[in-house]
Amino acid sequence: MSLQHAQPISRLIQELSRLPGIGEKTASRLALHILRSSRENAESLSRAILEVKEKIRLCSRCFNLADQDLCRICQDTKRNQEMVCVVSGPEDLMALERSGGYQGLYHVLHGVLSPLEGIGPQDLRLEELLSRLRGGKIQEVILATNPSVEGEATAQYVSQVIKPLGVRVTRIARGVPMGGDLQYIDQVTLTKSLENRGPI
Ligand SMILES: [Zn+2]
């Protein structure tokens, strides 16, 4: 850490550079921006940071991020209640929502199967997905894990455990690049990959 800054500025730069994608140069620019902004703006930023830690929890149905028992998507009765899109994390759900091409519900697994990292089926929100499906209302499950090795393996595994329940299981189409990351894919490709989904 450079020594030319006053200690509180160094500390802010250090904290900001811990954020993903933020190098020391960007962190310095952000720190100076915060320093020059009004006290209200700085307070509003620090309150927003604390508030996500205090108020955000997981939706009791789909495990999306929520500020109440059910997330906004599960509360929305206009959405298609018979379709569930399975994603590995909230960032992928956000990407699909930004695409605007999907009107069903979600289920967030909070991870993918990874034998190398010791992540097995019991570490994902899989049992909760199965009990949702046993409720009988859901007609189709779309598997939208990343087209990576772990994402594919997870989709295969989930489809195997779902199929005996008699629910239609589909996988998003290979319109998305192999080894890609859903949250960085453009909206058109994401929408197309949902439209062109196929049986698994
Ligand atoms: Zn939910």
Side-chain angles (χ1 to χ4, degrees):
M1 187 50 56
S2 41
L3 296 168
Q4 73 264 32
H5 300 304
Q7 203 272 334
I9 298 174
S10 295
R11 189 180 157 207
L12 183 56
I13 293 171
Q14 197 181 352
E15 293 294 337
L16 290 168
S17 54
R18 282 189 195 150
L19 299 171
I22 307 286
E24 201 181 323
K25 202 171 158 191
T26 307
S28 305
R29 209 168 62 233
L30 292 172
L32 289 177
H33 174 83
I34 291 166
L35 180 67
R36 292 188 192 113
S37 67
S38 68
R39 188 182 172 87
E40 292 82 66
N41 283 349
E43 276 175 356
S44 166
L45 174 65
S46 60
R47 264 201 313 276
I49 291 171
L50 287 176
E51 216 172 85
V52 291
K53 296 306 292 176
E54 285 161 6
K55 296 194 178 162
I56 298 298
R57 51 179 155 162
L58 298 181
C59 171
S60 66
R61 184 185 294 160
C62 77
F63 301 96
N64 181 22
L65 305 177
D67 56 4
Q68 293 174 46
D69 181 46
L70 288 181
C71 74
R72 277 156 199 256
I73 292 168
C74 285
Q75 283 181 36
D76 185 352
T77 51
K78 289 198 286 294
R79 296 188 72 115
N80 184 342
Q81 308 287 315
E82 297 182 342
M83 201 178 262
V84 167
C85 182
V86 175
V87 291
S88 60
E91 53 277 71
D92 297 332
L93 181 155
M94 287 175 191
L96 286 160
E97 282 300 292
R98 276 198 301 273
S99 80
Y102 180 65
Q103 281 304 309
L105 304 177
Y106 289 94
H107 192 87
V108 185
L109 293 173
H110 289 277
V112 281
L113 296 177
S114 174
L116 285 176
E117 289 172 40
I119 301 169
Q122 71 285 351
D123 300 308
L124 308 180
R125 298 286 187 173
L126 207 51
E127 199 44 56
E128 292 91 340
L129 173 64
L130 294 177
S131 64
R132 280 180 83 182
L133 298 179
R134 285 188 201 105
K137 205 172 172 190
I138 293 155
Q139 304 294 313
E140 179 178 352
V141 172
I142 305 168
L143 300 172
T145 50
N146 281 328
S148 60
V149 176
E150 286 94 354
E152 288 293 343
T154 306
Q156 286 295 337
Y157 182 87
V158 175
S159 88
Q160 276 169 25
V161 293
I162 288 176
K163 273 181 178 167
L165 300 174
V167 179
R168 178 171 139 92
V169 187
T170 53
R171 174 85 172 114
I172 50 169
R174 310 301 192 270
V176 290
M178 293 304 287
D181 205 327
L182 277 191
Q183 57 177 315
Y184 299 122
I185 291 165
D186 68 272
Q187 300 179 356
V188 177
T189 308
L190 259 182
T191 305
K192 283 288 165 206
S193 67
L194 272 168
E195 285 171 358
N196 299 332
R197 68 186 182 274
I200 184 167

